[in-house]
Amino acid sequence: FSMVKMVSHGKHITVIIQQLNKFNPENQSMEDFLNESAKMLQVHCFSSFYRLYKVLTLNVAEEKFVLDTLAGCIEYKSLLDVVVNAFFARDGRYCLASERNLYTVICYLATFQLEELGLQHFSRIVKSLDTVKMHKFLRFFFNALYLNTWIKDEWSRLYDSLYVKETWIDPLLRWQPKVQQLIEQLADKLSNRTTNIKMSTVTQPKEFNLTVPKPRAIPVPLPIPALEKSPPVPPSTYKPPKEKKQLEKIKTKNRQKAEDLLLRANTNQFRCAAVKPEKAEFELQNTQDSMKSKPAFQAQKVQSRVSNVSDPIARTLTNDNIPIKLNAAAILREGALYQRKMEQELQRIENLLRGAGDPSEFLEWQKQMRGKDLEEQLAEIEYRRLQGKLSHEEAVLAHQNVVQENKKKADLMREEKAELMHEYAERCLQEQKEMRELVEKVVEGHKNAKQAKLKLQKYKQQIVQEVCEENRELLRQALEEEEEKLKKKYELIQQIRAIESLPILKHKFVDLTETGGHGLICEMSIVELRERLALLREAQKAAEEEKRDQIIHDKQAKEQLLLDKLDQISIFRAELGRAAALKSV
C-alpha cells in the first residue's frame, strides 16, 4: 500500500511539473490555464511506472491538491525564483535546466503547504522523487544561515519585511530541525546505495577479423534503348481552318456597310432642320392670322407697395391688392436675375457696336472642317486594317521560325544526352575505385584507434582539472562579493534608520509672493498668477463686447442691402409693365 501511495505522490508532482511547463504567461492568463488544467484532470491522466502504462484516476482531494499547487506556483513565481535561481548558481550548477519546475514545486510545498500537509506527508512526497536531487535542494533551502540572511533580505524586497519574517521565515526555522532529520535519512539512503554498487569488469577491445574482399568485375554497361519514332505532324496543323476565312469575309463586308452608313449619316445630318421657303411663308401667314383673331393684351400698371415693417425679410409686394410674401433668399435671387439680364443686354449692344455680323460663314467653315476630319478618320481606319493584316502575316512567319528552331534544339539535346550517358559511365567507374581506396583507409584507421583513445582520455582529464580550479576560484570571488554587498546593505540600513529617527517639522509657512524655485523660466508666484488671470478676464470681456458690436453692425448692413434690393425689384417690375403696355399699343 505504501508503494502505491508513494507512486501516486510522485505522479501528482509529475502532473504539476508537466502543466507548469505548458504555461506561458504572455499568451495565456492564469484563470484560463487553471480551467484547462481542471478539464484535463477530470478526464484522466496517464502514469507510467517501470515502463508499465496504466490509467490513474484522481479523486476530488487529489485534484484540489494539484490545482492549488499549480495556482500557488504561478502566483508566487517571483518569490520562488529567488531560491531556485540561487540554488542553480551555487549547489545546482550541474543540474538540468529542464528540472527547474521540480525544485519550484518542492520550494512551494515547503514554504506554503508544510503546515497543512504535515512532515509525514511531505516526507512521502520527497522520498517518491529522485533522492540525490531532493537531498541537495533541501540541504540548500533549509540552511539556517541562508534563511536568516540573504533569503530573508531578497523576499523583503518583494513583500513587507515583518510579514515575511512572521509568515514564512519563522515557520521554516521552526520546521528546520525536523526537516534536517529527513535530510539525514536521504543521506543514509545515498550512502547505502553507493556501497552496494558492484565494480563491473572493463571490456577489452579486440581488433575486427575482417575478410579481404575479392576484386569485383567491371559491370558491362547496359545498352541505351532506342526511342520509337513518333508519328509525323499532320499538315492541317499549319493550315488555317475554312471557318476562319469565312468569318473574315463576313467581317470585311459588315465593316464596309458600317463605313457607308457612317458616311451617309455625316453628310445628311442637318437635312431634317432645313425649311423650304414656301412652307416658311405659309407658317408665317398662319401665325399672323391667329394673333389677329385673339384679343389684345391689356397691360396693367404694377404698383409697388412695401409695408412699413422693421424687418425687411417680412415685407411683401402687392399686385391688385393681393399680397406676395418674399423672404431674404427670394429677394436676392430675383435681384440677381434682373442683374444678369441687364448685363446680357449690354453685352449684345456692345457686340453690335463692334460690328458683329451673320454667322453663316462660320457655319460653312465648320462644315468643311468636319468633312476633312471624317476623311482623316476613314484613312486612319483603313491604315489600321492594313496594319492588322501585316501583323497577322508576320505572326505566321514567326510561328514557322519557332518550329524550325525547336527542331534544331531537339537535335542538340539528343547529342548532349548521348555525351552525358558516356560521362555517367566513366563517373561510376571512378566512384568504384574511390570506394576501394576508402575501405583500405578504414582498415588502417582501426589499427590506430587505441592510441587516439588514450590521447583523448588524457586531454579530457586535463580539461576537467582546469575547469574545477576555475570554478573554485569563481565561487570564492562570488562569496567575497556577497559579503561586501551584505556589509554595504547593513550600513545603508543603519543610515536610513538614523535619518528616520530625526524630528520632522510638520508646520510649513507659505509665502504667496514667492515662486516654487524649480528653476524654470515661466515660474511665477500665486499673487502674480492671480493678477494675470484678472487681466486675461478683462481682455476676454473687451473682445466679447467688440464681437457683439460687430454682429449688430453686420445685421444692420444686411437689412439695408435687402431694402435696396426691394427698391430695385420694384423699379424693374414697373419698367417691365410699362414696356408690355407699349407693345400692346
Side-chain angles (χ1 to χ4, degrees):
F1 176 79
S2 63
M3 190 68 183
V4 175
K5 197 73 175 175
M6 190 177 292
V7 172
S8 64
H9 292 322
K11 184 56 191 174
H12 296 164
I13 302 300
T14 306
V15 171
I16 295 168
I17 294 168
Q18 290 175 356
Q19 294 301 314
L20 285 175
N21 292 333
K22 295 178 184 178
F23 178 66
N24 188 2
E26 296 180 357
N27 301 330
Q28 194 176 19
S29 63
M30 188 176 73
E31 295 178 359
D32 296 337
F33 175 72
L34 292 176
N35 292 333
E36 292 178 3
S37 302
K39 291 179 182 178
M40 187 274 296
L41 294 173
Q42 286 175 3
V43 181
H44 63 271
C45 68
F46 292 94
S47 68
S48 63
F49 180 68
Y50 295 109
R51 300 182 182 273
L52 297 175
Y53 295 87
K54 60 183 179 179
V55 177
L56 179 64
T57 305
L58 300 178
N59 56 26
V60 178
E62 292 171 343
E63 183 180 348
K64 184 178 181 300
F65 169 74
V66 171
L67 292 176
D68 291 343
T69 308
L70 268 176
C73 292
I74 295 170
E75 184 177 359
Y76 297 100
K77 185 178 184 302
S78 59
L79 194 76
L80 302 174
D81 285 343
V82 173
V83 179
V84 177
N85 291 336
F87 171 72
F88 274 91
R90 295 184 181 182
D91 295 347
R93 291 190 299 273
Y94 301 106
C95 296
L96 297 176
S98 59
E99 299 171 354
R100 182 183 181 84
N101 287 328
L102 171 62
Y103 301 117
T104 304
V105 173
I106 298 301
C107 183
Y108 171 78
L109 293 176
T111 307
F112 297 90
Q113 299 291 330
L114 190 55
E115 295 282 347
E116 184 178 353
L117 293 175
L119 184 63
Q120 186 177 2
H121 196 182
F122 179 76
S123 61
R124 287 177 184 174
I125 293 173
V126 171
K127 289 178 182 178
S128 66
L129 301 173
D130 193 342
T131 307
V132 178
K133 298 173 186 176
M134 293 297 102
H135 175 262
K136 190 179 294 185
F137 180 75
L138 291 176
R139 186 182 62 184
F140 170 82
F141 182 50
F142 282 92
N143 191 341
L145 179 62
Y146 292 165
L147 289 172
N148 286 319
T149 55
W150 63 268
I151 292 178
K152 180 181 176 182
D153 294 337
E154 292 295 330
W155 285 359
S156 297
R157 291 183 179 181
L158 302 174
Y159 296 90
D160 185 50
S161 59
L162 185 61
Y163 180 79
V164 169
K165 184 177 183 304
E166 293 177 357
T167 308
W168 297 320
I169 299 297
D170 291 342
L172 288 173
L173 292 173
R174 191 169 58 252
W175 282 99
Q176 194 268 341
K178 296 181 180 179
V179 176
Q180 189 64 33
Q181 296 177 3
L182 175 62
I183 295 170
E184 291 174 359
Q185 293 176 8
L186 295 175
D188 295 336
K189 188 177 181 181
L190 288 174
S191 62
N192 293 331
R193 181 186 298 177
T194 53
T195 55
N196 294 331
I197 294 174
K198 295 181 179 180
M199 298 298 292
S200 60
T201 58
V202 181
T203 57
Q204 298 294 333
K206 295 181 180 180
E207 295 184 359
F208 293 97
N209 188 10
L210 300 174
T211 57
V212 180
K214 296 180 180 179
R216 296 182 182 179
I218 299 172
V220 179
L222 298 174
I224 300 171
L227 298 174
E228 296 181 359
K229 291 184 178 180
S230 59
V233 180
S236 60
T237 304
Y238 305 105
K239 291 181 181 180
K242 296 180 181 180
E243 291 81 0
K244 190 174 181 181
K245 292 181 179 178
Q246 292 177 359
L247 289 172
E248 287 181 355
K249 288 181 181 179
I250 295 168
K251 194 183 291 183
T252 52
K253 288 180 181 179
N254 292 335
R255 191 176 187 83
Q256 289 177 0
K257 288 180 182 179
E259 289 175 357
D260 293 339
L261 289 173
L262 179 63
L263 184 61
R264 291 175 188 173
N266 289 328
T267 53
N268 301 328
Q269 57 182 343
F270 297 113
R271 182 179 293 176
C272 60
V275 183
K276 295 180 180 180
E278 296 176 357
K279 189 175 181 181
E281 291 177 0
F282 179 72
E283 289 179 355
L284 181 62
Q285 186 67 29
N286 288 337
T287 54
Q288 289 177 358
D289 295 341
S290 63
M291 289 293 291
K292 289 179 181 178
S293 61
K294 290 181 180 179
F297 175 72
Q298 298 294 331
Q300 295 180 0
K301 186 176 180 180
V302 179
Q303 297 179 359
S304 62
R305 296 180 182 178
V306 181
S307 61
N308 296 323
V309 185
S310 61
D311 191 359
I313 297 175
R315 297 190 180 186
T316 55
L317 297 175
T318 57
N319 187 10
D320 293 338
N321 297 326
I322 299 173
I324 300 171
K325 189 174 182 180
L326 296 176
N327 55 8
I331 293 167
L332 295 174
R333 187 164 54 248
E334 193 169 356
L337 175 64
Y338 288 132
Q339 186 71 22
R340 189 166 56 253
K341 286 182 179 180
M342 187 171 63
E343 290 176 357
Q344 290 176 359
E345 188 66 21
L346 291 173
Q347 185 66 30
R348 187 179 66 81
I349 294 169
E350 188 177 354
N351 291 335
L352 291 174
L353 293 173
R354 288 179 181 176
D358 189 11
S360 59
E361 295 179 359
F362 171 75
L363 294 174
E364 185 66 24
W365 174 80
Q366 189 178 18
K367 185 177 180 182
Q368 292 176 2
M369 294 305 292
R370 285 179 178 175
K372 289 180 181 180
D373 292 340
L374 180 62
E375 292 176 359
E376 290 177 358
Q377 289 178 1
L378 293 174
E380 182 70 20
I381 291 168
E382 185 65 22
Y383 172 74
R384 289 180 182 174
R385 187 176 65 80
L386 295 174
Q387 193 175 9
K389 287 185 178 181
L390 289 174
S391 62
H392 177 69
E393 293 176 358
E394 289 175 356
V396 172
L397 293 173
H399 180 68
Q400 293 176 359
N401 294 331
V402 169
V403 171
Q404 293 177 1
E405 289 178 359
N406 290 337
K407 289 180 180 178
K408 292 179 181 179
K409 288 180 181 179
D411 296 336
L412 291 173
M413 288 178 69
R414 292 191 192 96
E415 294 176 359
E416 290 177 357
K417 186 176 180 181
E419 292 178 358
L420 290 173
M421 291 297 293
H422 182 67
E423 292 178 358
Y424 176 71
E426 293 179 353
R427 197 182 300 114
C428 289
L429 294 174
Q430 186 67 25
E431 289 178 355
Q432 289 178 0
K433 291 180 181 178
E434 292 177 355
M435 288 297 294
R436 291 194 194 99
E437 294 176 356
L438 182 62
V439 170
E440 293 175 358
K441 290 179 181 179
V442 169
V443 173
E444 293 177 358
H446 283 299
K447 294 178 181 179
N448 300 325
K450 290 182 179 180
Q451 298 177 359
K453 287 181 180 178
L454 292 173
K455 290 181 180 178
L456 181 62
Q457 189 175 3
K458 291 180 180 178
Y459 179 68
K460 287 182 178 179
Q461 290 175 357
Q462 186 179 359
I463 291 172
V464 169
Q465 291 177 359
E466 293 176 357
V467 171
C468 289
E469 292 176 358
E470 291 178 358
N471 288 336
R472 289 169 188 164
E473 183 65 24
L474 290 173
L475 180 60
R476 186 181 62 77
Q477 292 177 1
L479 289 173
E480 291 176 357
E481 291 176 358
E482 193 67 27
E483 289 177 357
E484 291 178 0
K485 288 181 181 178
L486 289 173
K487 289 179 181 178
K488 290 180 181 179
K489 287 180 182 178
Y490 181 74
E491 292 175 358
L492 184 61
I493 290 167
Q494 294 295 332
Q495 292 175 5
I496 292 170
R497 287 177 179 174
I499 292 169
E500 289 178 351
S501 62
L502 294 174
I504 301 171
L505 294 175
K506 297 183 178 180
H507 300 287
K508 188 175 181 182
F509 300 99
V510 179
D511 189 3
L512 299 180
T513 59
E514 291 182 357
T515 60
H518 301 292
L520 302 175
I521 299 172
C522 58
E523 279 186 345
M524 64 178 71
S525 63
I526 296 175
V527 175
E528 186 180 355
L529 179 62
R530 289 173 181 173
E531 290 178 357
R532 290 195 180 188
L533 288 173
L535 292 174
L536 285 174
R537 290 192 190 97
E538 292 177 359
Q540 188 176 3
K541 287 181 181 178
E544 289 178 357
E545 291 294 334
E546 186 179 354
K547 189 174 181 180
R548 191 177 293 108
D549 295 340
Q550 184 66 29
I551 291 169
I552 293 169
H553 179 71
D554 293 341
K555 191 173 181 180
Q556 291 175 357
K558 187 176 180 181
E559 290 177 357
Q560 187 63 35
L561 177 64
L562 291 174
L563 290 173
D564 295 341
K565 289 287 182 182
L566 283 172
D567 295 340
Q568 188 179 1
I569 290 168
S570 62
I571 292 168
F572 271 107
R573 287 185 176 179
E575 292 296 330
L576 289 173
R578 194 178 296 111
L582 291 173
K583 284 182 182 180
S584 63
V585 174

